[in-house]
Amino acid sequence: MSHDIQKGGDIEILFEDNHLLGITKPVNVPTQEDASGDPDLLSLLKQDLKERYNKPGNVYLGLVHRLDRPVGGAMIFAKTSKAASRLSETVRGRHFRKIYGAVVHGKMPSSQGTLKHTLLKDSKTNTVTAVPKGTPGGKDAVLDYQVIGETDRYSLVHIELHTGRSHQIRVQMKEAGCPLFGDQKYGAKMNKPGQQIALWSVIASFPHPVTKQEVTLQSLPVREFPWAEWPSQVYEEAFAMNRL
């Protein structure tokens, strides 16, 4: 089911009840209002809820986690402050499972493994760098990866985040020698201007803040280059929940 909440495009709804709204975030739409002044996802979704349910006044919608502007895929919002508070606790307690698909340049160091770095964000430039452990302001970043497809130039990687640092996947892939396809910020030497970053939030899974039942949102990448270098079956098998 989808609702036309932005002129020229739909935003797919993956899950909705009285407490939660799960959607597929379109690429190149900021999660919340930023300096660009472009339409942002949070405002668009609030407006959609207001219109669909004929709600008076301001509509509450809580931002629980973020995706970088160029990244698309599964994302959850809270429709009540209670749900937002409980989901935020779930994220902090690392009971919120986040699985991504990424296309990177070259071949990963091994077919599967764990990447651990200390990352430091420069808010002035909105960039993140890997720094020695113990660096003031540095935060530990951990992810697991598994290579699920390769071509002569690219690798398709299944990534599970264990920490939620800013630009984490992008920086850690760069540090592994395999920057993301299309990443203008951390792979400018290997990517052409205008290319779309190949990073997608495939699965977001968490206990429902009220019912406690497991909720799983799933969104597969668009069938465009470079994602289309591999058949749909590869994605369906690699990202099926019973295979994780």
Side-chain angles (χ1 to χ4, degrees):
M1 181 172 70
S2 64
H3 293 276
D4 187 10
I5 65 175
Q6 183 182 18
K7 189 176 180 181
D10 288 354
I11 294 181
E12 180 185 15
I13 293 179
L14 301 174
F15 178 91
E16 185 175 9
D17 64 8
N18 291 333
H19 312 281
L20 303 173
L21 176 63
I23 57 97
T24 294
K25 177 188 176 295
V27 298
N28 298 324
V29 175
T31 300
Q32 61 188 133
E33 188 176 358
D34 62 13
S36 71
D38 294 336
D40 66 281
L41 193 57
L42 191 61
S43 297
L44 291 168
L45 291 172
K46 283 183 179 181
Q47 183 62 31
D48 177 59
L49 289 171
K50 185 178 178 68
E51 292 175 3
R52 277 199 289 135
Y53 296 109
N54 196 25
K55 288 178 174 265
N58 294 326
V59 173
Y60 180 87
L61 196 63
L63 187 62
V64 180
H65 65 122
R66 292 170 173 79
L67 293 177
D68 291 348
R69 178 170 179 149
V71 180
M75 192 171 182
I76 192 72
F77 292 83
K79 292 170 71 174
T80 67
S81 57
K82 179 193 287 187
S85 176
R86 290 180 178 177
L87 271 181
S88 294
E89 284 296 323
T90 299
V91 172
R92 283 193 290 271
R94 299 188 182 180
H95 302 300
F96 190 106
R97 197 171 190 194
K98 293 179 281 188
I99 308 289
Y100 290 78
V103 179
V104 302
H105 288 275
K107 299 187 186 302
M108 294 295 293
S110 59
S111 60
Q112 59 182 15
T114 300
L115 297 181
K116 297 180 179 180
H117 295 91
T118 300
L119 302 183
L120 181 65
K121 181 174 182 177
D122 184 336
S123 297
K124 291 182 180 178
T125 60
N126 192 30
T127 56
V128 177
T129 53
V131 295
K133 191 171 181 63
T135 299
K139 295 182 178 180
D140 291 338
V142 182
L143 63 77
D144 291 332
Y145 72 86
Q146 182 176 354
V147 178
I148 56 177
E150 289 183 335
T151 67
D152 291 342
R153 299 177 61 191
Y154 306 114
S155 296
L156 177 61
V157 188
H158 170 294
I159 296 167
E160 178 162 8
L161 278 184
H162 295 296
T163 52
R165 308 308 180 198
S166 182
H167 300 177
Q168 178 178 339
I169 294 173
R170 300 163 68 179
V171 176
Q172 290 197 276
M173 291 294 114
K174 174 194 173 187
E175 291 298 313
C178 298
L180 267 67
F181 175 90
D183 191 346
Q184 307 299 319
K185 186 166 286 192
Y186 300 104
K189 293 181 180 178
M190 305 185 76
N191 294 308
K192 298 176 182 177
Q195 285 181 327
Q196 179 62 46
I197 192 170
L199 180 60
W200 198 267
S201 171
V202 178
I203 291 171
S205 182
F206 49 89
H208 191 285
V210 177
T211 68
K212 307 306 179 186
Q213 293 182 329
E214 195 72 10
V215 176
T216 298
L217 310 180
Q218 183 161 1
S219 172
L220 294 179
V222 292
R223 300 298 298 159
E224 298 173 356
F225 183 83
W227 301 109
E229 292 289 277
W230 296 273
S232 298
Q233 185 179 355
V234 170
Y235 293 92
E236 291 164 1
E237 291 180 355
F239 295 107
M241 285 302 292
N242 61 4
R243 291 283 301 276
L244 297 175

